Amino acid sequence: MDHYLISFPSATMRLTDEEFPEVVRTSHEAIEEAKAAGVYVFAGGLDESTAPVLVHPDGTQEPSSNRLDGGFCVVRVASREEAEHWAARIAAGCRTPQELRMFMYDPAS
């Protein structure tokens, strides 16, 4: 079983105030389906009101120059095809395209 990150940048979600409640409902339905299927690991949206920082080994910090925003979901599935299925299902629920990335396997994690 492999872990996949399904995500979207905030800029891709273009909704009216009227559409938003329905998208919340359908995106939550997609997550509930993933939970029922036993593939759900974790999901959420990044808090864009909190600035990201780079934390160095000595504990010092500096502002991060990398842009990462939006929502994400981690699934654990048996194949790339299954990950693509869940990415499409979440894209339908969120009404926005999703990026799909596979985590590298690390036996220590």
Side-chain angles (χ1 to χ4, degrees):
M1 298 288 261
D2 292 311
H3 288 87
Y4 287 85
L5 174 66
I6 301 169
S7 64
F8 66 91
S10 293
T12 64
M13 187 171 271
R14 297 181 193 103
L15 303 170
T16 65
D17 290 341
E18 293 78 26
E19 292 172 311
F20 192 74
E22 177 66 10
V23 170
V24 168
R25 185 186 68 73
T26 58
S27 64
H28 287 176
E29 284 177 356
I31 294 300
E32 290 304 318
E33 287 177 29
K35 288 178 180 179
V39 301
Y40 175 87
V41 176
F42 183 80
L46 296 175
D47 181 351
E48 296 175 35
S49 69
T50 303
V53 295
L54 290 174
V55 180
H56 295 273
D58 65 2
T60 59
Q61 299 179 16
E62 65 181 284
S64 176
S65 61
N66 292 324
R67 179 86 175 138
L68 178 63
D69 60 13
F72 63 91
C73 179
V74 176
V75 296
R76 184 172 182 246
V77 295
S79 68
R80 174 77 180 197
E81 292 75 23
E82 192 176 355
E84 291 168 358
H85 162 79
W86 287 107
R89 176 61 187 96
I90 292 169
C94 292
R95 297 187 191 171
T96 189
Q98 302 289 307
E99 296 178 343
L100 181 63
R101 293 183 173 87
M102 184 176 167
F103 285 97
M104 294 186 313
Y105 176 72
D106 179 355
S109 65

